[in-house]
PDB file of all heavy atoms in Angstrom:
ATOM      1  N   THR A1263       4.262   1.279  12.567  1.00  0.00           N
ATOM      2  CA  THR A1263       3.950   0.019  12.725  1.00  0.00           C
ATOM      3  C   THR A1263       4.356  -0.636  14.021  1.00  0.00           C
ATOM      4  O   THR A1263       3.735  -1.429  14.620  1.00  0.00           O
ATOM      5  CB  THR A1263       4.222  -0.928  11.553  1.00  0.00           C
ATOM      6  OG1 THR A1263       5.705  -0.803  11.300  1.00  0.00           O
ATOM      7  CG2 THR A1263       3.622  -0.455  10.266  1.00  0.00           C
ATOM      8  N   TYR A1266       2.051  -0.834  16.916  1.00  0.00           N
ATOM      9  CA  TYR A1266       0.587  -0.660  16.451  1.00  0.00           C
ATOM     10  C   TYR A1266       0.052  -2.114  16.608  1.00  0.00           C
ATOM     11  O   TYR A1266       0.371  -3.089  16.137  1.00  0.00           O
ATOM     12  CB  TYR A1266       0.652  -0.410  14.986  1.00  0.00           C
ATOM     13  CG  TYR A1266      -0.744  -0.211  14.352  1.00  0.00           C
ATOM     14  CD1 TYR A1266      -1.513   0.779  14.464  1.00  0.00           C
ATOM     15  CD2 TYR A1266      -1.185  -1.428  13.500  1.00  0.00           C
ATOM     16  CE1 TYR A1266      -2.813   0.830  13.877  1.00  0.00           C
ATOM     17  CE2 TYR A1266      -2.419  -1.350  12.961  1.00  0.00           C
ATOM     18  CZ  TYR A1266      -3.287  -0.248  13.118  1.00  0.00           C
ATOM     19  OH  TYR A1266      -4.468  -0.200  12.674  1.00  0.00           O
ATOM     20  N   TYR A1269       2.091  -4.956  17.111  1.00  0.00           N
ATOM     21  CA  TYR A1269       3.069  -5.263  16.013  1.00  0.00           C
ATOM     22  C   TYR A1269       4.448  -4.822  16.319  1.00  0.00           C
ATOM     23  O   TYR A1269       4.574  -3.710  17.068  1.00  0.00           O
ATOM     24  CB  TYR A1269       2.626  -4.695  14.620  1.00  0.00           C
ATOM     25  CG  TYR A1269       3.169  -5.304  13.429  1.00  0.00           C
ATOM     26  CD1 TYR A1269       2.993  -6.562  12.963  1.00  0.00           C
ATOM     27  CD2 TYR A1269       4.318  -4.605  12.721  1.00  0.00           C
ATOM     28  CE1 TYR A1269       3.567  -7.108  11.820  1.00  0.00           C
ATOM     29  CE2 TYR A1269       4.925  -5.124  11.668  1.00  0.00           C
ATOM     30  CZ  TYR A1269       4.572  -6.329  11.150  1.00  0.00           C
ATOM     31  OH  TYR A1269       5.233  -6.906  10.089  1.00  0.00           O
ATOM     32  N   CYS A1274       6.077  -4.587   6.936  1.00  0.00           N
ATOM     33  CA  CYS A1274       5.516  -5.839   6.698  1.00  0.00           C
ATOM     34  C   CYS A1274       6.194  -6.426   5.436  1.00  0.00           C
ATOM     35  O   CYS A1274       6.291  -5.534   4.354  1.00  0.00           O
ATOM     36  CB  CYS A1274       4.111  -5.866   6.542  1.00  0.00           C
ATOM     37  SG  CYS A1274       3.153  -5.215   7.902  1.00  0.00           S
ATOM     38  N   HIS A1283       0.869  -8.174   5.524  1.00  0.00           N
ATOM     39  CA  HIS A1283       1.097  -8.204   6.938  1.00  0.00           C
ATOM     40  C   HIS A1283       2.032  -9.403   7.309  1.00  0.00           C
ATOM     41  O   HIS A1283       1.975  -9.946   8.376  1.00  0.00           O
ATOM     42  CB  HIS A1283      -0.148  -8.414   7.782  1.00  0.00           C
ATOM     43  CG  HIS A1283      -1.184  -7.266   7.579  1.00  0.00           C
ATOM     44  ND1 HIS A1283      -2.491  -7.373   7.844  1.00  0.00           N
ATOM     45  CD2 HIS A1283      -0.811  -5.934   7.070  1.00  0.00           C
ATOM     46  CE1 HIS A1283      -3.068  -6.123   7.592  1.00  0.00           C
ATOM     47  NE2 HIS A1283      -2.102  -5.402   7.062  1.00  0.00           N
ATOM     48  N   ASP A1300       6.131  -3.089   2.858  1.00  0.00           N
ATOM     49  CA  ASP A1300       5.159  -2.100   3.306  1.00  0.00           C
ATOM     50  C   ASP A1300       5.677  -1.399   4.409  1.00  0.00           C
ATOM     51  O   ASP A1300       5.993  -1.920   5.542  1.00  0.00           O
ATOM     52  CB  ASP A1300       3.813  -2.839   3.637  1.00  0.00           C
ATOM     53  CG  ASP A1300       2.700  -1.780   3.744  1.00  0.00           C
ATOM     54  OD1 ASP A1300       2.898  -0.597   4.005  1.00  0.00           O
ATOM     55  OD2 ASP A1300       1.553  -2.138   3.573  1.00  0.00           O
ATOM     56  N   THR A1302       5.228   2.286   6.780  1.00  0.00           N
ATOM     57  CA  THR A1302       4.535   3.542   7.167  1.00  0.00           C
ATOM     58  C   THR A1302       5.314   4.256   8.244  1.00  0.00           C
ATOM     59  O   THR A1302       5.702   3.725   9.198  1.00  0.00           O
ATOM     60  CB  THR A1302       3.130   3.132   7.860  1.00  0.00           C
ATOM     61  OG1 THR A1302       2.455   2.158   6.901  1.00  0.00           O
ATOM     62  CG2 THR A1302       2.259   4.296   7.874  1.00  0.00           C
ATOM     63  N   ASP A1311       2.351   6.092   3.911  1.00  0.00           N
ATOM     64  CA  ASP A1311       2.208   4.660   3.879  1.00  0.00           C
ATOM     65  C   ASP A1311       2.249   4.155   2.494  1.00  0.00           C
ATOM     66  O   ASP A1311       1.518   4.635   1.578  1.00  0.00           O
ATOM     67  CB  ASP A1311       0.614   4.366   4.470  1.00  0.00           C
ATOM     68  CG  ASP A1311       0.389   2.932   4.575  1.00  0.00           C
ATOM     69  OD1 ASP A1311       1.316   2.075   4.385  1.00  0.00           O
ATOM     70  OD2 ASP A1311      -0.741   2.577   4.914  1.00  0.00           O
ATOM     71  N   HIS A1374      -7.390   2.842   3.114  1.00  0.00           N
ATOM     72  CA  HIS A1374      -7.959   3.522   4.240  1.00  0.00           C
ATOM     73  C   HIS A1374      -7.648   4.878   4.234  1.00  0.00           C
ATOM     74  O   HIS A1374      -6.717   5.368   3.499  1.00  0.00           O
ATOM     75  CB  HIS A1374      -7.367   2.785   5.564  1.00  0.00           C
ATOM     76  CG  HIS A1374      -5.799   2.666   5.459  1.00  0.00           C
ATOM     77  ND1 HIS A1374      -4.985   3.808   5.847  1.00  0.00           N
ATOM     78  CD2 HIS A1374      -5.037   1.750   4.863  1.00  0.00           C
ATOM     79  CE1 HIS A1374      -3.802   3.374   5.690  1.00  0.00           C
ATOM     80  NE2 HIS A1374      -3.836   2.133   5.132  1.00  0.00           N
ATOM     81  N   PHE A1380      -3.338   6.699  11.293  1.00  0.00           N
ATOM     82  CA  PHE A1380      -2.932   5.638  10.513  1.00  0.00           C
ATOM     83  C   PHE A1380      -4.020   5.069   9.660  1.00  0.00           C
ATOM     84  O   PHE A1380      -4.019   5.035   8.429  1.00  0.00           O
ATOM     85  CB  PHE A1380      -2.240   4.491  11.323  1.00  0.00           C
ATOM     86  CG  PHE A1380      -1.423   3.528  10.661  1.00  0.00           C
ATOM     87  CD1 PHE A1380      -0.700   2.584  11.318  1.00  0.00           C
ATOM     88  CD2 PHE A1380      -1.409   3.437   9.179  1.00  0.00           C
ATOM     89  CE1 PHE A1380       0.097   1.589  10.796  1.00  0.00           C
ATOM     90  CE2 PHE A1380      -0.470   2.516   8.621  1.00  0.00           C
ATOM     91  CZ  PHE A1380       0.171   1.640   9.314  1.00  0.00           C
ATOM     92  N   HIS A1381      -5.093   4.679  10.305  1.00  0.00           N
ATOM     93  CA  HIS A1381      -6.208   4.046   9.657  1.00  0.00           C
ATOM     94  C   HIS A1381      -7.559   4.775  10.040  1.00  0.00           C
ATOM     95  O   HIS A1381      -8.025   4.838  11.134  1.00  0.00           O
ATOM     96  CB  HIS A1381      -6.343   2.640  10.056  1.00  0.00           C
ATOM     97  CG  HIS A1381      -5.301   1.804   9.547  1.00  0.00           C
ATOM     98  ND1 HIS A1381      -4.255   1.156  10.309  1.00  0.00           N
ATOM     99  CD2 HIS A1381      -4.892   1.412   8.189  1.00  0.00           C
ATOM    100  CE1 HIS A1381      -3.383   0.592   9.537  1.00  0.00           C
ATOM    101  NE2 HIS A1381      -3.715   0.744   8.226  1.00  0.00           N
ATOM    102  N   GLU A1407      -4.245   0.372  -2.297  1.00  0.00           N
ATOM    103  CA  GLU A1407      -3.428  -0.684  -1.930  1.00  0.00           C
ATOM    104  C   GLU A1407      -3.865  -2.025  -2.537  1.00  0.00           C
ATOM    105  O   GLU A1407      -3.962  -3.019  -1.693  1.00  0.00           O
ATOM    106  CB  GLU A1407      -2.861  -0.732  -0.573  1.00  0.00           C
ATOM    107  CG  GLU A1407      -4.016  -0.661   0.494  1.00  0.00           C
ATOM    108  CD  GLU A1407      -3.419  -0.555   1.895  1.00  0.00           C
ATOM    109  OE1 GLU A1407      -2.756  -1.504   2.205  1.00  0.00           O
ATOM    110  OE2 GLU A1407      -3.602   0.509   2.574  1.00  0.00           O
ATOM    111  N   TRP A1424      -1.261 -12.336  12.258  1.00  0.00           N
ATOM    112  CA  TRP A1424      -0.922 -11.220  11.297  1.00  0.00           C
ATOM    113  C   TRP A1424      -0.930 -11.774   9.785  1.00  0.00           C
ATOM    114  O   TRP A1424      -1.457 -11.207   8.971  1.00  0.00           O
ATOM    115  CB  TRP A1424       0.432 -10.595  11.689  1.00  0.00           C
ATOM    116  CG  TRP A1424       0.373  -9.609  12.790  1.00  0.00           C
ATOM    117  CD1 TRP A1424       0.818  -9.905  14.042  1.00  0.00           C
ATOM    118  CD2 TRP A1424      -0.308  -8.354  12.888  1.00  0.00           C
ATOM    119  NE1 TRP A1424       0.585  -8.882  14.941  1.00  0.00           N
ATOM    120  CE2 TRP A1424      -0.040  -7.865  14.193  1.00  0.00           C
ATOM    121  CE3 TRP A1424      -0.900  -7.521  11.878  1.00  0.00           C
ATOM    122  CZ2 TRP A1424      -0.605  -6.606  14.532  1.00  0.00           C
ATOM    123  CZ3 TRP A1424      -1.325  -6.318  12.253  1.00  0.00           C
ATOM    124  CH2 TRP A1424      -1.087  -5.828  13.608  1.00  0.00           C
ATOM    125  N   GLU A1438       0.978  -0.119  -3.008  1.00  0.00           N
ATOM    126  CA  GLU A1438       0.212   0.955  -2.240  1.00  0.00           C
ATOM    127  C   GLU A1438       0.895   2.296  -2.451  1.00  0.00           C
ATOM    128  O   GLU A1438       2.050   2.557  -2.223  1.00  0.00           O
ATOM    129  CB  GLU A1438       0.343   0.594  -0.730  1.00  0.00           C
ATOM    130  CG  GLU A1438      -0.421   1.611   0.153  1.00  0.00           C
ATOM    131  CD  GLU A1438      -0.376   1.153   1.643  1.00  0.00           C
ATOM    132  OE1 GLU A1438       0.501   0.334   2.077  1.00  0.00           O
ATOM    133  OE2 GLU A1438      -1.299   1.569   2.264  1.00  0.00           O
TER     134      GLU A1438
HETATM  135  N1  MF3 B 362       0.913  -0.531   6.312  1.00  0.00           N
HETATM  136  C1  MF3 B 362      -0.181  -1.343   6.357  1.00  0.00           C
HETATM  137  C2  MF3 B 362      -1.322  -0.736   5.610  1.00  0.00           C
HETATM  138  O1  MF3 B 362      -1.058  -0.561   4.457  1.00  0.00           O
HETATM  139  C3  MF3 B 362      -0.634  -1.672   7.805  1.00  0.00           C
HETATM  140  C4  MF3 B 362       0.427  -2.520   8.517  1.00  0.00           C
HETATM  141  S1  MF3 B 362      -0.206  -2.581  10.125  1.00  0.00           S
HETATM  142  C5  MF3 B 362       1.002  -3.631  10.847  1.00  0.00           C
HETATM  143  O2  MF3 B 362      -2.219  -0.359   6.045  1.00  0.00           O
HETATM  144  F1  MF3 B 362       0.877  -3.577  12.097  1.00  0.00           F
HETATM  145  F2  MF3 B 362       0.836  -4.779  10.404  1.00  0.00           F
HETATM  146  F3  MF3 B 362       2.175  -3.239  10.467  1.00  0.00           F
END
Side-chain angles (χ1 to χ4, degrees):
T1263 56
Y1266 177 79
Y1269 196 77
C1274 296
H1283 302 162
D1300 190 337
T1302 310
D1311 185 6
H1374 49 92
F1380 196 172
H1381 293 113
E1407 46 183 299
W1424 283 106
E1438 174 177 28

